[in-house]
Amino acid sequence: MKFIVKTIGLKKKYMLGEVPVWALKGIDFYVKEGEFVSIIGPSGSGKSTLLNMIGALDLPTAGQVIIGGKNISKMNNNELAELRQRIGFVFQFFNLISRLTAFKNVELSMSIQRIPKSKRTRKTEEILRMVGLGDRMYHKPSELSGGEQQRVAIARALAKNPKYLLLDEPTGNIDTKTRDKIMDLIIDLNKKYGMTIIVITHDPEIAKRSKRIVHIVDGRMIESSEEYDFLNKDIISTSDHKDVKQIVKEDV
């Protein structure tokens, strides 16, 4: 089984004035194709910095980030931009375009790839039905619930034919009942359709539904749950389908 994402000795330093701050202090991490992995840690632990690294949004100070077998530090700006188009980003606050319908929000992510209009329409409809929005696809974000908006965001990410889905606190802006439904969808994408999933979260209730949990504390990976719990005592737990690979990898 091949690695989708791998980091080796990953370090990241920021400067606060003249003071260096090491957000990541030597992270060795991997995700294999078809895995569902949660990265869990408290605020300030380095989760967001790690997300930026494995999403090719930023480059490391030291060490390597390897995505799809390629070291991102050796890519030029055009290659990095193209790589980012192959990663399905899903964020806590949805980031939908308010004036566009759910359909248009999803279709727009494909128009950048110069896919013909007729094929964009068909693919958009199929993906929105797959995430349970077949009857809501022509509504604008203001007409959708928080859970429905997050489903649109997931559909938009899938439309990019991603190497993997990278979800940053995907249930942090919705209620507990809706959170569970979104997690059911994410689990379904992984189990039923084989999509590789990486979730960044501070919520142990979200993390425990993944297949593998990786803990991060103070910029370092923690190997055991027991050590993580010891270091973080203040954490509070807060129909018929096409195969998704056939839909998102269809020859367009």
Side-chain angles (χ1 to χ4, degrees):
M1 186 178 291
K2 67 179 181 180
F3 292 106
I4 294 292
V5 180
K6 187 176 183 179
T7 74
I8 303 171
L10 177 61
K11 296 182 180 181
K12 183 63 179 181
K13 178 178 69 175
Y14 297 105
M15 297 300 297
L16 292 180
E18 298 182 355
V19 179
V21 176
W22 288 93
L24 299 177
K25 303 173 182 177
I27 299 290
D28 295 320
F29 172 68
Y30 70 90
V31 177
K32 294 181 179 179
E33 186 175 25
E35 275 201 290
F36 177 10
V37 180
S38 287
I39 301 171
I40 184 170
S43 297
S45 61
K47 298 192 309 298
S48 295
T49 302
L50 182 58
L51 178 146
N52 288 340
M53 298 292 112
I54 63 178
L57 298 173
D58 198 359
L59 298 176
T61 303
Q64 299 179 53
V65 178
I66 300 169
I67 300 176
K70 296 182 179 180
N71 186 339
I72 67 170
S73 294
K74 296 182 178 180
M75 295 181 176
N76 60 38
N77 288 337
N78 289 336
E79 290 171 330
L80 285 169
E82 183 177 350
L83 175 61
R84 293 180 196 116
Q85 287 301 313
R86 305 293 289 180
I87 300 172
F89 294 98
V90 180
F91 298 103
Q92 177 179 351
F93 294 103
F94 319 136
N95 295 337
L96 302 177
I97 299 174
S98 61
R99 68 178 183 278
L100 299 182
T101 64
F103 182 94
K104 287 295 184 181
N105 267 280
V106 174
E107 184 191 33
L108 182 63
S109 67
M110 287 185 283
S111 63
I112 299 172
Q113 301 172 344
R114 299 181 181 178
I115 297 173
K117 174 69 173 178
S118 60
K119 293 183 178 180
R120 292 203 310 265
T121 297
R122 172 171 49 82
K123 187 173 175 181
T124 299
E125 290 175 347
E126 289 175 343
I127 292 173
L128 283 167
R129 290 191 185 101
M130 185 179 69
V131 301
L133 291 174
D135 61 344
R136 304 288 284 167
M137 64 178 69
Y138 296 110
H139 289 71
K140 293 181 179 180
S142 61
E143 301 168 328
L144 301 173
S145 68
E148 288 171 335
Q149 290 182 57
Q150 190 60 292
R151 287 172 184 268
V152 175
I154 292 171
R156 180 181 57 189
L158 289 171
K160 295 169 61 178
N161 185 18
K163 292 179 179 293
Y164 52 92
L165 288 185
L166 181 54
L167 303 103
D168 184 19
E169 302 285 4
T171 61
N173 203 36
I174 51 183
D175 61 77
T176 301
K177 182 177 180 180
T178 305
R179 176 199 69 182
D180 293 340
K181 290 181 179 179
I182 292 297
M183 287 306 301
D184 288 343
L185 171 60
I186 293 169
I187 291 167
D188 200 40
L189 289 171
N190 175 251
K191 288 185 176 180
K192 191 171 183 179
Y193 304 116
M195 180 62 63
T196 305
I197 307 286
I198 305 172
V199 174
I200 309 290
T201 185
H202 70 281
D203 187 347
E205 294 301 313
I206 297 300
K208 73 180 183 181
R209 299 192 66 182
S210 62
K211 292 180 180 178
R212 180 162 64 94
I213 301 174
V214 175
H215 305 291
I216 184 168
V217 176
D218 193 26
R220 301 182 187 275
M221 288 292 184
I222 303 300
E223 295 297 327
S224 70
S225 296
E226 291 77 11
E227 184 179 2
Y228 176 77
D229 291 340
F230 175 77
L231 292 171
N232 294 279
K233 294 178 180 179
D234 293 333
I235 289 181
I236 301 175
S237 301
T238 57
S239 73
D240 294 330
H241 296 286
K242 280 188 177 182
D243 186 279
V244 71
K245 291 183 178 179
Q246 292 177 356
I247 295 173
V248 301
K249 293 185 178 179
E250 200 167 299
D251 184 10
V252 292

